[in-house]
Amino acid sequence: MAFDLIVIGGGPAGYLAAERAGHAGLNTLLIEKRFIGGVCLNEGCVPSKALLYSAKLYDGAAHGDKYGISVKDISLDHKFVVERKNKVVNTLVSGIKAKLKKNKVTVVMAEAKITGRNEEGFTVTANGETYVGKKLIISTGSVPVTPPIPGVKEGLESGFVVTNREILDWETVPEKLVIIGGGVIGLEMASYFNSAGAKVTVIEMMNKIAGPTDAEISDILMKNYEKKGITFNLGCKVVGVENGKVLYEKDGKTLEVPADKVLLSIGRRAFTDGLGLETIGVETERGKIKVDDHCRTNIAGVYASGDVNGTSMLAHTAYRETEVALNDILGIKDMMRYDAIPSVIYTNPEVACVGENEETAKAKGIDFEVVKLSMMYSGRYVAENEGGNGIIKVLIDKKYRNVIGIHMIGNNSSEIIYGGVTYIETKMPIDNIKKLVFPHPSVCEIIREAIFEF
């Protein structure tokens, strides 16, 4: 069967590519081996947020006395939370399938393999059938990194060690949970399972949590977590996983922490295993598909969007990369830019950032100025966050007087940060931002307060 476009992978990059291509009138085939929606919708972004929202409501009720509310006999029903999570996922997956059907996309649920090319286009086999596409978008996503730590492989096989895939379906909460890795996934799961009653320990190789997040903000987040009872072992290297414990090195000493379950969360890698890229000569670099700023590979007519190109492993980046790739296919002028990609940690409190931080700005030689304000400058934040210690940092380029970075910790940050995306993407001068009218009272006013400090 011949198609105008074959999309391999049904995650955010893939299903959006297929949906938009079908809407544009292209005869489109989408091939997905596991489930429509990919990791983000089924095992990552969305299901984790369902869990975290339940935890947030529970935490609010548990500490309602701060706001004059007394709740007796409060509990978190983890099994019910997981059931609700599944309902949310099923609802959203059904919606995506409906959109694909509406836009006349052919969907094949099978593992795809590129087998070559002929005069009609690129050949792809799936479920014993051969398909031909004039154009090809590869969006096979990523998989968790599995380090060569003694005992990890055996732990994964026995279920003592899990990844983000399995942890979201646990029906019971372990008494002692050890998380290897203090990045976004690890921190979000630490947040939820701490609220659900587990004794959580996070072991991180770096001397800070939250990866590239602004150092001061990640320190505030960690202190908030510590107050809730989460233990952090920073600057530590995990050297072994045994039944019932995790071994790690710190300052030349080997230590151990007891565990009923272990979450492996040290990052993800682009997934191209067995895809057949070599049959058409697609170039890769350390497992990632190399692309230009139009998401084109080195082979004309072949594109790669989402985690598989390893540029920015975030679902919203994947959406935008897919739009750029499809626009190139449709002859619409467009290109990918990464200066204003927002990042969010959906913990309680939330962390959100976009653009340069002080470390990266210095490394690039940018002459910048930074303003830091307490979130207490926002009336609504004060009204809704008793004892909150959130902050905002805004960086501007001294020469051009435009925003180059915004970093926040405090609830509602995830819904506010898009404003920073707009300022950076459009290079809006701060004098123009000062003329914008923000709703009052709102937490987003904190950006305006910070801008007026320049």
Side-chain angles (χ1 to χ4, degrees):
M1 296 178 65
F3 293 86
D4 296 321
L5 173 67
I6 295 178
V7 181
I8 302 177
Y15 72 68
L16 185 68
E19 176 193 322
R20 296 281 176 85
H23 184 73
L26 299 182
N27 183 20
T28 304
L29 168 66
L30 173 63
I31 307 175
E32 165 55 43
K33 70 175 182 178
R34 294 194 69 226
F35 32 52
I36 298 300
V39 169
C40 178
L41 185 49
N42 293 275
E43 302 170 344
C45 318
V46 172
S48 63
K49 303 312 162 287
L51 267 62
L52 287 165
Y53 184 69
S54 291
K56 186 175 182 179
L57 290 178
Y58 172 77
D59 290 342
H63 301 285
D65 57 306
K66 294 180 180 179
Y67 305 90
I69 299 171
S70 178
V71 181
K72 296 180 179 179
D73 301 323
I74 182 173
S75 64
L76 186 152
D77 185 339
H78 174 70
K79 187 175 180 180
F80 181 88
V81 171
V82 172
E83 290 173 353
R84 178 181 177 274
K85 177 266 296 184
N86 292 336
K87 183 179 71 173
V88 170
V89 169
N90 291 336
T91 297
L92 294 174
V93 169
S94 296
I96 292 170
K97 289 180 178 179
K99 280 189 173 183
L100 292 170
K101 184 177 181 179
K102 178 182 178 181
N103 289 296
K104 300 179 180 179
V105 175
T106 300
V107 178
V108 172
M109 299 302 296
E111 185 170 1
K113 184 169 184 177
I114 302 166
T115 54
R117 64 189 306 178
N118 56 34
E119 64 279 359
E120 293 182 302
F122 302 97
T123 56
V124 180
T125 61
N127 207 22
E129 296 288 336
T130 297
Y131 305 92
V132 181
K134 295 177 183 177
K135 305 285 184 180
L136 187 62
I137 294 181
I138 302 169
S139 301
T140 47
S142 62
V143 293
V145 171
T146 304
I149 298 172
V152 164
K153 181 180 178 182
E154 294 80 2
L156 287 167
E157 292 172 351
S158 70
F160 174 57
V161 179
V162 300
T163 68
N164 65 289
R165 174 179 295 173
E166 299 86 14
I167 196 171
L168 293 170
D169 287 325
W170 281 348
E171 292 189 356
T172 59
V173 176
E175 183 179 338
K176 296 181 291 292
L177 172 63
V178 174
I179 298 176
I180 302 175
V184 174
I185 295 173
L187 293 175
E188 290 185 350
M189 290 299 94
S191 181
Y192 173 76
F193 281 96
N194 168 255
S195 295
K199 169 59 180 173
V200 179
T201 301
V202 177
I203 304 176
E204 168 58 46
M205 184 176 290
M206 303 290 288
N207 289 316
K208 64 183 284 291
I209 62 171
T213 302
D214 176 89
E216 186 173 4
I217 285 179
S218 55
D219 185 58
I220 292 172
L221 179 62
M222 188 174 75
K223 288 177 179 176
N224 273 273
Y225 273 9
E226 288 175 331
K227 288 179 181 178
K228 296 178 180 180
I230 298 176
T231 300
F232 291 90
N233 294 320
L234 304 183
C236 298
K237 179 182 179 182
V238 175
V239 295
V241 174
E242 299 178 4
N243 192 31
K245 61 185 175 181
V246 175
L247 308 176
Y248 63 95
E249 289 182 350
K250 173 75 172 179
D251 298 328
K253 298 179 181 179
T254 300
L255 306 169
E256 64 179 57
V257 58
D260 295 311
K261 289 285 187 177
V262 177
L263 170 62
L264 186 63
S265 181
I266 62 170
R268 302 181 66 84
R269 65 173 179 85
F271 182 75
T272 58
D273 302 1
L275 188 55
L277 297 177
E278 68 283 352
T279 64
I280 55 174
V282 173
E283 289 185 4
T284 62
E285 183 177 16
R286 290 180 293 179
K288 302 174 290 187
I289 297 179
K290 295 173 64 176
V291 294
D292 62 12
D293 55 11
H294 299 277
C295 294
R296 299 178 295 211
T297 69
N298 63 303
I299 303 300
V302 180
Y303 301 76
S305 59
D307 286 7
V308 75
N309 69 39
T311 307
S312 171
M313 290 187 172
L314 296 166
H316 41 277
T317 304
Y319 287 141
R320 180 66 187 131
E321 287 175 340
T322 275
E323 290 168 348
V324 168
L326 188 58
N327 281 340
D328 195 74
I329 291 172
L330 297 173
I332 300 171
K333 188 175 180 180
D334 200 357
M335 66 180 290
M336 192 65 206
R337 294 179 296 276
Y338 296 93
D339 295 334
I341 302 294
S343 178
V344 178
I345 306 176
Y346 294 87
T347 47
N348 186 12
E350 293 180 345
V351 172
C353 60
V354 62
E356 308 291 346
N357 60 34
E358 293 176 76
E359 291 81 6
T360 61
K362 287 176 183 176
K364 294 179 180 180
I366 300 172
D367 187 16
F368 69 94
E369 185 177 351
V370 60
V371 160
K372 180 179 73 174
L373 282 183
S374 166
M375 293 289 280
M376 301 295 280
Y377 277 77
S378 160
R380 183 175 177 188
Y381 180 86
V382 174
E384 297 181 353
N385 294 271
E386 185 70 25
N389 62 345
I391 65 169
I392 181 172
K393 282 187 175 182
V394 177
L395 284 72
I396 68 164
D397 186 306
K398 282 187 176 181
K399 180 179 179 181
Y400 298 105
R401 305 297 291 172
N402 60 279
V403 175
I404 59 171
I406 294 182
H407 306 266
M408 310 172 66
I409 178 168
N411 287 330
N412 295 314
S413 293
S414 64
E415 300 291 349
I416 297 169
I417 199 63
Y418 82 94
V421 173
T422 302
Y423 305 149
I424 295 172
E425 183 68 25
T426 62
K427 294 180 168 53
M428 184 182 293
I430 61 171
D431 287 342
N432 288 6
I433 299 174
K434 290 177 180 179
K435 297 173 183 177
L436 299 177
V437 179
F438 288 65
H440 177 79
S442 62
V443 181
C444 69
E445 285 180 290
I446 194 66
I447 296 178
R448 191 171 191 272
E449 291 289 340
I451 292 294
F452 269 92
E453 293 290 313
F454 291 108

